[in-house]
Amino acid sequence: MKGVRELKARLGSVSNIKKVTSTMELVATAKMKKLQERANASRPYAEAIRAMLAQVAGFVSPEVSPLLRDPGKVERECVVVIAGDKGLCGAFNTNVFRVALNYIAARKNEGVEVSVYAIGKRTEKFANKIGFAIEGMIEEKVELISHRRIEVTMRALGDSFVADKFQKISLVYTKMKSAAVFTPLVEPLLPLAASEPSGDGHSEAKAGIELDFTMEPSAEEIMTRLIPKTLAVNLMNGVHQSLASEFAARRIAMKNATDAATDMIDELRMEYNKARQTGITAELLEIISGAEALKG
């Protein structure tokens, strides 16, 4: 049996770890709720701009913007991967990289040359470790990325697409379905699909009603303005979803760590009490034995 002092030291260490993990769980919970609120607040705007894009697309030719044109055969593709800046979030980063790695491997088997655009410091380390070509990266922490920075990034990616440097640009991020369910997935960014939005069935186009209105400025100009905003919204949504998922994963990981520390403290305390009782019993026996020896 381990000594009383050693058990007491271990008990103190595990108790300190429990305080840290419990605090990190509270911080992750607060940030997760804040990020969920941010994502929910931006959702109406995102849905409205996508619906407007789909509606205006019915009045213009796909040739109005090179970002709408299907390039045909894809020889080079850029994959934007969004992961975290830190660890201590369970398998969050690992799951993102597994999906990205499987997708890139499948594309390479099809003869496509793939480059990675990194968002999150863990993504940069992952790309360097695997040996992928890095097209670029956002240096800021994912939590501090502004909408302006996303617009600049998406403009640069769009220019690469228009210049035929890449014939396709995809996004790998984690979509948050609930506080306990978040799934990494792959979605296309470019070419932009100006498809009918998935509404609630009340769309005039779905109902087969012809709209009679005048657009000011022209439909082509409206489309030209909407496309960059839609692309930025799509990428920003990926950042928001990934961030909320990361903190949800960190909350779960820290809760599991806190629970494990609690169980370990209970076991150590029981072992400590047994060791202490054994020591006391041994000391009493020595005293009794000494007393009996003096009598003899």
Side-chain angles (χ1 to χ4, degrees):
M1 183 175 290
K2 295 178 180 179
V4 174
R5 289 184 179 179
E6 183 183 350
L7 289 170
K8 189 174 182 180
R10 285 194 63 192
L11 194 58
S13 298
V14 176
S15 298
N16 291 335
I17 292 173
K18 180 182 175 181
K19 291 178 182 178
V20 173
T21 57
S22 179
T23 302
M24 291 185 69
E25 178 188 350
L26 293 175
V27 172
T29 301
K31 287 191 174 182
M32 180 194 70
K33 290 181 179 179
K34 182 179 178 181
L35 289 164
Q36 277 184 310
E37 291 174 357
R38 185 191 300 177
N40 292 335
S42 63
R43 186 174 301 163
Y45 173 77
E47 292 177 352
I49 196 170
R50 288 171 187 151
M52 189 181 300
L53 180 76
Q55 193 174 66
V56 177
F59 296 88
V60 298
S61 167
E63 301 299 320
V64 69
S65 171
L67 299 176
L68 292 173
R69 290 198 296 265
D70 185 353
K73 184 180 179 181
V74 177
E75 296 179 350
R76 294 174 299 277
E77 180 174 352
C78 181
V79 179
V80 182
V81 182
I82 304 176
D85 292 308
K86 301 177 182 178
L88 298 177
C89 50
F92 171 78
N93 289 315
T94 303
N95 291 337
V96 173
F97 297 148
R98 183 182 296 114
V99 170
L101 192 59
N102 291 339
Y103 177 76
I104 292 172
R107 296 299 285 163
K108 284 189 173 182
N109 289 336
E110 296 171 2
V112 179
E113 182 182 342
V114 180
S115 298
V116 172
Y117 195 99
I119 299 181
K121 296 188 182 300
R122 295 276 171 165
T123 305
E124 182 189 12
K125 292 180 180 178
F126 161 74
N128 287 328
K129 183 178 179 180
I130 302 299
F132 292 147
I134 298 181
E135 171 64 18
M137 67 172 296
I138 295 181
E139 295 79 10
E140 295 95 325
K141 292 182 179 180
V142 180
E143 193 175 354
L144 302 178
I145 296 176
S146 65
H147 190 78
R148 174 61 180 167
R149 185 67 178 87
I150 289 295
E151 288 180 336
V152 172
T153 299
M154 203 62 242
R155 189 181 303 119
L157 290 171
D159 291 342
S160 298
F161 180 82
V162 173
D164 203 36
K165 183 176 181 179
F166 302 109
Q167 290 80 45
K168 184 177 181 181
I169 297 178
S170 302
L171 174 66
V172 179
Y173 73 104
T174 304
K175 184 174 184 178
M176 187 175 186
K177 298 180 180 179
S178 68
V181 181
F182 26 88
T183 308
L185 47 81
V186 183
E187 287 185 356
L189 274 178
L190 286 171
L192 182 63
S195 57
E196 188 70 28
S198 55
D200 55 3
H202 298 295
S203 170
E204 290 83 351
K206 289 183 178 180
I209 301 174
E210 292 186 5
L211 299 176
D212 184 15
F213 52 81
T214 302
M215 294 188 187
E216 288 291 343
S218 65
E220 288 76 12
E221 187 173 348
I222 294 175
M223 197 69 173
T224 302
R225 294 183 184 181
L226 280 177
I227 289 173
K229 294 183 179 295
T230 304
L231 290 171
V233 164
N234 290 343
L235 185 54
M236 196 73 217
N237 176 67
V239 171
H240 285 163
Q241 293 280 341
S242 293
L243 263 177
S245 300
E246 178 186 351
F247 282 105
R250 183 168 288 114
R251 180 189 67 83
I252 293 173
M254 292 301 101
K255 183 180 185 305
N256 292 339
T258 302
D259 294 342
T262 301
D263 294 339
M264 188 176 292
I265 288 172
D266 292 340
E267 293 176 3
L268 287 172
R269 185 172 285 123
M270 186 177 296
E271 193 174 348
Y272 169 78
N273 290 335
K274 286 181 180 180
R276 185 168 175 271
Q277 187 63 43
T278 300
I280 293 172
T281 303
E283 289 177 2
L284 287 174
L285 288 174
E286 288 178 4
I287 292 172
I288 293 172
S289 299
E292 291 294 330
L294 291 173
K295 288 180 181 179

